[in-house]
Amino acid sequence: MFLNGGCCGGGNDFPPRYHEDRHNNEREVLLEEIRKLYARGMISQTQYWNAMEQLNRGRFTLDDLWELRNGGKIEQTLPPRNDERPKNDSPAMSSDIQSQLQFLEQKKQEVFKAKEEVAKLMEGINQSVKKLKEEMAFDEQMAKQLVESDEAQARAYLKQRQETGTQMATMEVRLEQLNEDMKQMEQMETRLNAKALELKALGQRELLAKLEGDIKNI
């Protein structure tokens, strides 16, 4: 009797339609809760799109919703939150665009550090050139004072002045080269910034396309 009644037999096996409806109902509940969290400003834009992507893949659960409400992460793909609304939060762009942006940021940091080093070198060379000019002026003054009383010593001062002048000329050439390097690095920065803006614009278009697709599925 129990076998026919379903207590101990196959009566607990629900039809496929039941499981499908249950899955759809759970998805609708999760979808509504995610939208509420975003509308109330409790999660960032990046968190919203990551949650939606996981939900569409069938990988977002009630446990994930609980973590999202309490500031957790979804598969470690979200950046740390800062007062629930990161100031520098960015949309969930494709991994390819994010990778390129990270590469550009790395290169920008390298150019920045190189500029700092070049600026230090230029400052050091400027200081050295200034001192060399002072030495040349001193040697010239001493040569003038000794030209009548000690011609040999006067010639020695003039020779030293000439050698100092040669060294100073070489350093001025290096300074000009560094100045050109600085201009080149500034051009690099301009190109890197332009490329980053281009990628961000492309990512924004992707974001709008995702948004349009989500709206159509509502």
Side-chain angles (χ1 to χ4, degrees):
M1 183 172 180
F2 281 114
L3 291 174
N4 294 329
C7 288
C8 299
N12 287 332
D13 293 329
F14 296 100
R17 180 68 181 177
Y18 171 84
H19 294 289
E20 181 179 351
D21 290 343
R22 183 179 179 183
H23 173 75
N24 290 335
N25 290 337
E26 182 175 323
R27 183 185 184 282
E28 290 299 320
V29 170
L30 292 171
L31 177 62
E32 184 65 21
E33 290 300 316
I34 293 171
R35 288 173 176 167
K36 286 180 180 179
L37 292 174
Y38 183 61
R40 294 169 182 170
M42 297 175 66
I43 60 175
S44 67
Q45 193 175 54
T46 297
Q47 290 173 305
Y48 171 76
W49 285 115
N50 273 276
M52 291 295 293
E53 183 177 1
Q54 297 295 338
L55 181 63
N56 291 334
R57 293 179 179 180
R59 296 167 59 183
F60 191 86
T61 65
L62 290 173
D63 289 337
D64 292 324
L65 178 63
W66 184 89
E67 289 186 7
L68 191 61
R69 282 174 175 167
N70 292 275
K73 297 181 180 180
I74 303 173
E75 294 190 347
Q76 302 298 320
T77 60
L78 303 177
R81 299 200 305 177
N82 181 15
D83 294 332
E84 304 295 339
R85 297 182 183 182
K87 293 182 179 179
N88 296 322
D89 198 16
S90 58
M93 301 178 185
S94 67
S95 59
D96 181 57
I97 291 181
Q98 291 184 28
S99 177
Q100 292 185 63
L101 285 173
Q102 290 176 357
F103 175 79
L104 290 176
E105 184 60 31
Q106 178 184 346
K107 293 305 173 184
K108 284 171 65 177
Q109 291 297 324
E110 292 176 5
V111 172
F112 177 78
K113 291 180 180 179
K115 283 179 63 180
E116 283 188 325
E117 292 300 320
V118 170
K120 291 178 182 178
L121 286 172
M122 292 177 69
E123 179 63 23
I125 291 177
N126 277 320
Q127 292 294 329
S128 295
V129 168
K130 181 180 178 181
K131 291 179 180 179
L132 290 175
K133 286 182 178 180
E134 293 174 353
E135 290 180 10
M136 289 177 64
F138 174 79
D139 291 339
E140 182 178 6
Q141 184 65 28
M142 292 300 296
K144 288 180 179 180
Q145 293 178 5
L146 296 171
V147 67
E148 294 182 359
S149 61
D150 191 342
E151 185 175 350
Q153 187 64 35
R155 289 182 182 276
Y157 274 114
L158 289 176
K159 182 180 180 181
Q160 183 172 302
R161 180 184 184 278
Q162 184 178 4
E163 292 174 353
T164 302
T166 300
Q167 183 181 9
M168 186 182 71
T170 301
M171 296 192 73
E172 287 179 335
V173 171
R174 297 291 179 261
L175 185 62
E176 184 62 29
Q177 291 172 343
L178 289 174
N179 189 49
E180 290 299 320
D181 291 342
M182 183 67 77
K183 291 179 181 179
Q184 185 176 357
M185 287 185 287
E186 289 175 351
Q187 292 175 354
M188 290 180 186
E189 280 186 327
T190 299
R191 292 197 296 270
L192 288 171
N193 288 332
K195 185 62 177 178
L197 289 174
E198 178 185 345
L199 288 171
K200 289 178 181 179
L202 181 60
Q204 184 65 26
R205 290 181 62 84
E206 289 185 354
L207 176 64
L208 292 175
K210 289 181 181 178
L211 180 59
E212 183 179 5
D214 288 337
I215 293 175
K216 287 182 180 180
N217 292 330
I218 295 176

